[in-house]
Amino acid sequence: MEHQTLEQSLRSGALDQRLAAVYGAEGLAAAKERCAVAAAGFTKTFESLPEAFFSAPGRTELGGNHTDHQHGRVLAAAVDLDILAAAAPNQSGMLRIQSQGYPMIVVDLRELTPQSGEENTSAALIRGVAARMAALGCPLTNAGLDAYVISDVPGGSGLSSSAAFEVLIGTMLGELFWDGKCSAVEIAQIGQYAENVFFGKPCGLMDQTASSVGGVVAIDFADTASPVVDSIALDLHAQGYALCILDSGADHADLTGEYAAITDELKAVCRCFGKEVLREVPEAEFLAELPRVRQTAGDRGVLRAFHVYAENRRAAAQAEALRKGDFEGYLDLVRQSGRSSAMYLQNVVPTGAAEHQELMVTLALCEAILNGRGAVRVHGGGFGGTAQAYVPLDLLEEFKTRTEAVLGQGSCHVVTIRPVGGVRLG
């Protein structure tokens, strides 16, 4: 589809039904404007015409904090903030990605191995996704791609902009060069590979799966090669609640070491039993050998294991509560998850921090405002990141005003659940 056709389709309303299915009727006008901006940016940057629009959403973790990398259970959802691209194939052998407001990234498709000095960069994610897709059979040898990318997923927001970016790249390559042969779960696995091997972050698979699949999903990662993904209906507005993600205002310095320590300490626990991940260690055996495990793996590793065992049960119970329509029971499990993350997983305050504990202050502030209603918990990876709050609709305006008075204007993001994941829009 040529640029003029895309532009005409936007103006005439030919894409309205597709866009409304992704962004909702209330978000249609804004979606059309963003598509127009992306198309114009593409033409100005590449002096050619885009052929398609693509979108991948941010995600929010609803349950299962740090369980995915232990082959555990999670509950997650795609949100209405996304990364949008106007794109077209080229025959240059290069992936040229222009993100609005940033320098262009150019990745040579002849160089699909990790590059020295490229760790922790967007280029590493692009190269990693392309490398994995090529290894799986995607014909990229004589291919190339131009894309102009815009995003309203705030960096450092805990909504996983990196996973959305990986899913976007994978979706574009799969649709344009491989006839859409990759499933949503396969796209997620490709993104995780890029982040683990090329970017250098030892993440699990939850972020990418939630972004790629869309909606609310309960995921069991017992077999990471074939995770069980179950979609669950949830209308928060009908339950009388809004979902808020709050930026604590912490310094978003490199926290890879903090995240790695969680996986390293849990591995130390697992090694006591000759296993790789906690899902392979029966909880009864862990409890029976607790004195030996404490001596070998240390008490923080033991406490983190206690969290993972209980959090796996909670994530499954949360999913069941939603299926049964027991939203109050669901909220109680959210509160339990938050307490366990803070006390046992210990991913709220960075190691050794005393004067600056922004995320813990954010949690305390939200609890004070909610005053026993709704729920609040650490969100996602934790440490310098974000909190997640379920706020009664009648309290939402006050909640937003009071939290932003302390945390800063724009720190409280009110999000809704998006029904679809990574997708070609037109």
Side-chain angles (χ1 to χ4, degrees), residues 27-42:
L28 177 59
K32 293 175 71 171
E33 176 60 27
R34 291 178 72 228
C35 284
V37 169
F42 182 100

Side-chain angles (χ1 to χ4, degrees), residues 360-373 375-376 389 395 398-399 402-403 406:
M360 189 67 85
V361 169
T362 299
L363 294 170
L365 173 65
C366 291
E367 285 194 349
I369 298 170
L370 290 171
N371 193 27
R373 303 177 68 192
V376 62
L395 187 59
E398 177 188 348
F399 181 87
R402 291 178 63 183
T403 54
V406 176

Side-chain angles (χ1 to χ4, degrees), residues 309-394:
Y309 283 120
E311 190 76 348
N312 275 326
R313 291 192 294 272
R314 272 190 295 270
Q318 283 180 263
E320 186 61 21
L322 291 181
R323 293 188 190 100
K324 292 180 175 179
D326 179 13
F327 197 70
E328 286 304 315
Y330 169 83
L331 288 179
D332 183 59
L333 290 162
V334 171
R335 298 183 200 105
Q336 292 179 36
S337 172
R339 287 194 293 271
S340 179
S341 292
M343 293 173 60
Y344 304 136
L345 183 61
Q346 299 179 38
N347 69 328
V348 173
V349 179
T351 304
E355 182 179 356
H356 293 285
Q357 298 190 25
E358 293 89 349
L359 184 51
M360 189 67 85
V361 169
T362 299
L363 294 170
L365 173 65
C366 291
E367 285 194 349
I369 298 170
L370 290 171
N371 193 27
R373 303 177 68 192
V376 62
R377 66 191 280 272
V378 60
H379 180 243
F383 298 111
T386 57
Q388 177 190 74
Y390 294 80
V391 182
L393 293 176
D394 66 302

